[in-house]
């Protein structure tokens, strides 16, 4: 796609987002500390419906990600072809995630489907950054939910990292670890 065509698509998407605007939801997020530069307050089902109108495209997703807008970034995660989403790019996107709602969308619709998803997720849960840990645990949870098998060494690593996160002071890693362990128990029982 040409640059001009991408720009026009982004303009069109932003115009469509006004149809899904929910000022009270956006205000409620602000009151709870979720302060995006631009937040339409659109609901996830509406964003999924909007994303279904577009063909997945790297250039479009990258341009949407550059927008300092909650919904554009969520759409970027839904429209980025996972097979061309490299671990380096995943690190860049993850480092720019500030709020848990965007982390949840990326960890559900994009991160588990990228090449090397498991190794990237385990690298994230082992680092000290709370948002990286959150994304890592959620990505692992979604990998397990989709039926991906884990080697025994990975199971032990998950349990060790989850135990450390659950004992820690940071809320996001605790929530992510709890979610991953819940999915692990659902999928594998209590081994």
């Amino acid at each position: 796609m040409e640059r001009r065509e991408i720009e026009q698509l982004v303009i069109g998407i932003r115009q469509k987002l006004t149809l899904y605007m929910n000022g009270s939801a956006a205000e409620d997020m602000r009151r709870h500390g979720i302060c995006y530069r631009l937040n339409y307050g659109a609901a996830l089902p509406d964003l999924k419906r909007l994303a279904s109108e577009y063909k997945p495209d790297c250039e479009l997703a990258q341009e949407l990600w550059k927008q300092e807008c909650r919904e554009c970034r969520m759409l970027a995660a839904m429209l980025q072809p996972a097979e061309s989403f490299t671990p380096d790019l995943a690190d860049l996107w993850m480092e720019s995630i500030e709020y848990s709602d965007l982390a949840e969308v990326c960890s559900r619709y994009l991160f588990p489907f990228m090449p090397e998803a498991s190794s990237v997720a385990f690298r994230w849960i082992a680092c000290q950054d709370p948002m990286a840990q959150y994304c890592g645990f959620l990505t692992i949870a979604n990998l397990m939910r989709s039926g991906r098998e884990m080697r025994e060494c990975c199971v032990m690593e998950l349990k060790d990292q989850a135990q450390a996160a659950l004992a820690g002071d940071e809320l996001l890693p605790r929530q992510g670890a709890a979610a991953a362990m819940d999915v692990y128990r659902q999928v594998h029982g209590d081994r």
Side-chain angles (χ1 to χ4, degrees), residues 180-191:
M181 292 312 297
D182 284 347
V183 172
Y184 176 81
R185 284 189 285 278
Q186 291 169 14
V187 172
H188 299 286
D190 284 327
R191 28 172 197 158

Side-chain angles (χ1 to χ4, degrees), residues 122-133:
F122 276 99
R123 181 168 39 81
W124 288 345
I125 67 171
C127 77
Q128 296 302 308
D129 177 49
M131 187 61 75
Q133 291 175 330

Side-chain angles (χ1 to χ4, degrees), residues 79-123:
L79 292 172
Q80 170 65 47
E83 64 277 358
S84 62
F85 196 65
T86 66
D88 288 340
L89 189 53
D91 286 341
L92 286 173
W93 281 31
M94 187 279 302
E95 289 168 5
S96 67
I97 294 173
E98 295 182 63
Y99 303 109
S100 60
D101 60 341
L102 181 56
E104 291 159 10
V105 168
C106 290
S107 298
R108 180 170 182 191
Y109 295 102
L110 178 58
F111 295 158
F113 305 103
M114 67 181 168
E116 303 176 51
S118 181
S119 62
V120 171
F122 276 99
R123 181 168 39 81

Side-chain angles (χ1 to χ4, degrees), residues 17-30 39-43 46 71:
L17 284 171
T18 62
L19 301 173
Y20 301 115
M21 192 178 295
N22 183 334
S24 61
E27 180 57 34
D28 191 45
M29 284 183 235
R30 272 190 295 282
N39 182 353
Y40 291 94
D46 293 329
E71 290 77 8

Side-chain angles (χ1 to χ4, degrees), residues 18 38 47 134:
T18 62
L38 180 59
L47 295 176
Y134 188 58

Side-chain angles (χ1 to χ4, degrees), residues 51-162:
S52 71
E53 296 176 20
Y54 298 88
K55 182 181 175 203
D57 181 85
C58 292
E59 293 170 356
L60 176 58
Q62 295 302 315
E63 192 60 35
L64 286 167
W65 190 262
K66 290 177 190 173
Q67 307 296 305
E68 295 185 31
C69 170
R70 172 184 175 264
E71 290 77 8
C72 286
R73 286 195 164 188
M74 289 181 175
L75 287 168
M78 295 176 192
L79 292 172
Q80 170 65 47
E83 64 277 358
S84 62
F85 196 65
T86 66
D88 288 340
L89 189 53
D91 286 341
L92 286 173
W93 281 31
M94 187 279 302
E95 289 168 5
S96 67
I97 294 173
E98 295 182 63
Y99 303 109
S100 60
D101 60 341
L102 181 56
E104 291 159 10
V105 168
C106 290
S107 298
R108 180 170 182 191
Y109 295 102
L110 178 58
F111 295 158
F113 305 103
M114 67 181 168
E116 303 176 51
S118 181
S119 62
V120 171
F122 276 99
R123 181 168 39 81
W124 288 345
I125 67 171
C127 77
Q128 296 302 308
D129 177 49
M131 187 61 75
Q133 291 175 330
Y134 188 58
C135 288
F137 282 122
L138 293 181
T139 298
I140 291 168
N142 284 306
L143 284 167
M144 288 187 291
R145 199 175 273 125
S146 69
R148 295 274 289 272
E149 289 294 318
M150 280 198 292
R151 297 186 317 258
E152 190 61 33
C153 64
C154 292
V155 170
M156 297 310 295
E157 177 74 9
L158 173 61
K159 288 180 177 181
D160 288 346
Q161 293 292 347

